[in-house]
Amino acid sequence: MRSRPTRSRSLSTIEAAREVGLGALGFLAGDPERIGPFLAESGLSPADLRGVAGSTAFHVALLDYLINRQDLLVSYAGEAGIDPGHVVAAREILAHAGIGED
């Protein structure tokens, strides 16, 4: 019997990457001037956030949004006490974590 291929990332690494995504969501949601443009660009409403907040694809899109706006990326990383490169790494981990798992 063949076993399923092992993931290239451990579950704890994926969980840590999700924490970065959740932190980014909290960062954006904490200020109407930060969350408004994200919602407009994503097409989501505030009510939609609860339903998608656990989605890996949502976390990837959210981190993409921050990465593409250096001022927000630097602000979030500073508030979170992490290197901005960790946000990029978290995005990559989530993008490759488990395509189709959502």
Side-chain angles (χ1 to χ4, degrees), residues 21-38:
L22 287 172
L25 176 58
F27 169 76
L28 291 179
D31 183 342
E33 293 196 18
R34 290 191 297 236
I35 194 70
F38 171 72

Side-chain angles (χ1 to χ4, degrees), residues 27 66-78 84-85 87-88:
F27 169 76
L66 280 182
I67 291 165
N68 288 316
R69 285 151 190 85
Q70 189 169 8
D71 60 326
L72 290 176
L73 173 62
V74 171
S75 292
Y76 166 60
V87 177
V88 176

Side-chain angles (χ1 to χ4, degrees), residues 40-92:
E41 186 172 308
S42 68
L44 296 170
S45 72
D48 295 331
L49 291 178
R50 180 170 284 146
V52 299
S55 162
T56 299
F58 172 74
H59 286 268
V60 171
L62 177 66
L63 295 176
D64 277 341
Y65 179 81
L66 280 182
I67 291 165
N68 288 316
R69 285 151 190 85
Q70 189 169 8
D71 60 326
L72 290 176
L73 173 62
V74 171
S75 292
Y76 166 60
E79 283 190 22
I82 61 174
D83 186 280
H86 291 185
V87 177
V88 176
R91 186 256 179 235
E92 290 303 309

